[in-house]
Amino acid sequence: MKQAVSLQKLDKNINGQRRLRACHECDWVSALPRLHAGEVAQCPRCQHILVRRHYRPAQRSLALAISAVIALLIAVSFPFVSFSIKGIGHSIEIEQTASMLLSFEQPIVAIVVALTIIILPALYLFSVIWLQLVLLFSEPKIKHRQIARTLKHLDSWMMADVFIIGALVSLFKIAGMADIQLGIAFWAYAVFAFLLLMTTRSIDADWMWFAIAGEPRAPAQTRTGQGASEQGLTGCPTCGLIHTLNENGDNHCIRCGEPLHARAPKSLQRTMSLLITATILYIPANVYPIMTTTTFGQEKNSTIMGGGIDLIQHGSWPIALVIFIASILVPIGKLLVLSWLCLTVNNAHQLSQMTRLKLYRITEFIGRWSMVDVFVVSILVALIHAGDLISVTPGSAALAFASVVVLTMLAAITFDSRLIWDNPQSELRPMRGNKV
């Protein structure tokens, strides 16, 4: 009943004023329409989804998060995958894909793997469970706002779905050399990856923040149909609330505490610095071996490109294509597109604002999938241990390539897409609730 009342209040005007939002991707100020379950409100200028309404959002997220935690517990409690060759067998549990890297003096890569496939997803799910229970059965406190903020920042760094693809690629790589058997944990983790994805999509952030801290009115001078910054305003990227900026062009959100800026400070400089560093590291990531395979006492070094070529020679074209796209095409594409956006962000004669924003959205979405090769290495290193008969060790390129992936993701995060829309002339579409 508490949630039903909150949803009803949420769709009404606040003290006679419609709820306003400033799009975090293009800075356009709009009034939210009344939404029903299954509908979304999109920015009329860039079509970014401002609000996604769900039916019974707390119960929905709670059920999915609990199911995902159960699947994760099963995944870390049973064997993940096993192999046997000439009577020698070995099986691993999923956490060994990170821990085994420590024995090969790859602590940074091990930390990245552990964080992205187990630790951060578990933290996210327990935070969702705790927060939704509080919203359903008690009154939220100040500390719960920090938990809600954390959910927003963890989203990009959970890579369970990418890890499953990496597992499939690694199994195809060794399928011709040994007998492979998938354990209970493999299927449980695949279910977990799906449930985690559904949990992230089930979060109704608009309802959640209203339930946690209500909805303070937007500043009285706020006008719809124009940019927020030209009115001395900005929208909170976490909870959506519109705020007035101080004389320094910044502020803090009164609802969630997020730092606010008219534009992200030194966005272009930070993005270009990260891209330059990633470009430098991308050279050793491709020149040096990413892993070394020992077969019958003979060592063979494999680079990222070399691993793809080997797959082609063995007839595994689809897997080679995955490696080529994720490890070659995506990183290079991100480096080129983000660099181009930084250099041309204020040039009116370039592609339209909408076209450039779409390019940015694509690079932001696909960046995490480059971790496939890192996960392939972590799985093979943990799994293939048969002495001189056959074994796999990580190469020096593993750290460099993992760094490239993380740096390009950070570059996409630090790039402020609102810069693309400064002084634009763009076509608008009417805002409305759209079924999804």
Side-chain angles (χ1 to χ4, degrees):
M1 177 61 69
K2 174 184 174 182
Q3 179 176 301
V5 172
S6 298
L7 283 171
Q8 185 181 21
K9 289 181 178 179
L10 181 60
D11 283 333
K12 290 184 176 180
N13 296 343
I14 307 298
N15 295 332
Q17 183 183 29
R18 298 184 68 185
R19 296 192 305 126
L20 306 180
R21 290 290 181 269
C23 178
H24 186 60
E25 290 200 351
C26 74
D27 207 35
W28 198 252
V29 178
S30 308
L32 293 178
R34 178 171 296 188
L35 296 174
H36 301 286
E39 292 183 335
V40 298
Q42 293 178 303
C43 173
R45 177 156 71 170
C46 73
Q47 287 75 62
H48 172 63
I49 295 178
L50 302 175
V51 175
R52 186 187 299 273
R53 180 70 68 242
H54 292 300
Y55 177 72
R56 295 190 177 275
Q59 292 92 330
R60 179 190 181 101
S61 298
L62 182 61
L64 287 168
I66 291 174
S67 301
V69 167
I70 293 172
L72 179 59
L73 290 175
I74 296 173
V76 299
S77 302
F78 292 92
F80 183 71
V81 66
S82 60
F83 91 104
S84 62
I85 179 172
K86 296 185 180 300
I88 300 176
H90 181 61
S91 65
I92 61 168
E93 295 179 354
I94 193 168
E95 56 268 26
Q96 289 180 270
T97 59
S99 62
M100 284 299 296
L101 290 169
L102 294 173
S103 62
F104 292 101
E105 299 181 351
Q106 293 279 359
I108 297 178
V109 182
I111 291 171
V112 170
V113 172
L115 284 174
T116 54
I117 69 172
I118 296 177
I119 298 175
L120 293 183
L123 176 62
Y124 181 91
L125 291 171
F126 283 117
S127 298
V128 169
I129 293 170
W130 184 14
L131 189 58
Q132 303 307 329
L133 287 174
V134 168
L135 294 180
L136 284 172
F137 300 111
S138 64
E139 292 297 325
K141 298 179 174 59
I142 296 295
K143 62 182 178 181
H144 297 119
R145 304 185 189 188
Q146 184 59 49
I147 297 174
R149 278 184 61 194
T150 301
L151 297 181
K152 174 76 173 180
H153 296 295
L154 288 179
D155 202 359
S156 301
W157 301 99
M158 301 183 297
M159 303 185 188
D161 47 353
V162 182
F163 181 78
I164 285 295
I165 300 301
L168 293 174
V169 171
S170 63
L171 297 180
F172 273 104
K173 275 179 170 285
I174 60 174
M177 297 185 294
D179 294 326
I180 305 299
Q181 186 173 6
L182 301 178
I184 295 175
F186 178 89
W187 302 108
Y189 195 85
V191 173
F192 161 73
F194 174 76
L195 290 172
L196 178 63
L197 177 63
M198 295 301 295
T199 303
T200 59
R201 292 182 58 84
S202 73
I203 300 296
D204 189 335
D206 186 55
W207 172 82
M208 181 177 67
W209 280 108
F210 181 84
I212 292 173
E215 173 117 4
R217 293 181 60 175
Q221 74 273 21
T222 307
R223 298 184 301 275
T224 60
Q226 61 184 87
S229 62
E230 58 193 85
Q231 304 178 56
L233 307 170
T234 191
C236 177
T238 298
C239 74
L241 208 62
I242 293 181
H243 293 74
T244 303
L245 296 169
N246 57 31
E247 61 275 8
N248 297 321
D250 55 26
N251 205 339
H252 278 80
C253 179
I254 62 173
R255 183 158 69 169
C256 70
E258 188 77 22
L260 304 175
H261 307 278
R263 297 293 180 268
K266 298 182 179 179
S267 170
L268 299 182
Q269 295 93 322
R270 291 179 179 180
T271 303
M272 285 302 299
S273 297
L274 291 166
L275 292 174
I276 290 171
T277 307
T279 301
I280 294 172
L281 288 173
Y282 193 63
I283 297 173
N286 282 273
V287 172
Y288 291 103
I290 196 167
M291 64 181 178
T292 300
T293 304
T294 301
T295 308
F296 300 111
Q298 295 185 344
E299 292 186 353
K300 179 182 179 182
N301 295 325
S302 297
T303 61
I304 294 174
M305 181 65 76
I309 294 174
D310 287 341
L311 287 169
I312 293 175
Q313 291 175 345
H314 288 88
S316 300
W317 282 88
I319 305 302
L321 184 62
V322 170
I323 294 295
F324 175 78
I325 292 175
S327 303
I328 304 295
L329 191 60
V330 169
I332 292 177
K334 284 198 71 174
L335 292 171
L336 292 177
V337 170
L338 287 174
S339 298
W340 178 77
L341 287 175
C342 289
L343 296 173
T344 64
V345 69
N346 292 318
N347 293 350
H349 66 277
Q350 297 291 335
L351 294 177
S352 68
Q353 286 86 5
M354 194 63 219
T355 301
R356 283 184 279 175
L357 181 61
K358 288 180 179 179
L359 286 173
Y360 169 70
R361 288 172 178 170
I362 292 172
T363 58
E364 188 179 34
F365 173 76
I366 65 176
R368 57 201 292 273
W369 289 95
S370 296
M371 280 293 289
V372 165
D373 235 345
V374 176
F375 291 145
V376 169
V377 172
S378 68
I379 293 169
L380 292 180
V381 166
L383 180 63
I384 308 301
H385 277 296
D388 289 337
L389 182 60
I390 183 170
S391 62
V392 176
T393 57
S396 54
L399 175 59
F401 189 73
S403 300
V404 170
V405 178
V406 172
L407 289 171
T408 53
M409 290 180 65
L410 289 172
I413 292 172
T414 58
F415 180 78
D416 193 337
S417 63
R418 295 174 296 181
L419 294 169
I420 298 174
W421 296 88
D422 287 343
N423 302 317
Q425 295 295 326
S426 54
E427 180 181 353
L428 299 182
R429 298 182 184 180
M431 173 177 271
R432 61 186 182 277
N434 298 319
K435 282 287 184 182
V436 293

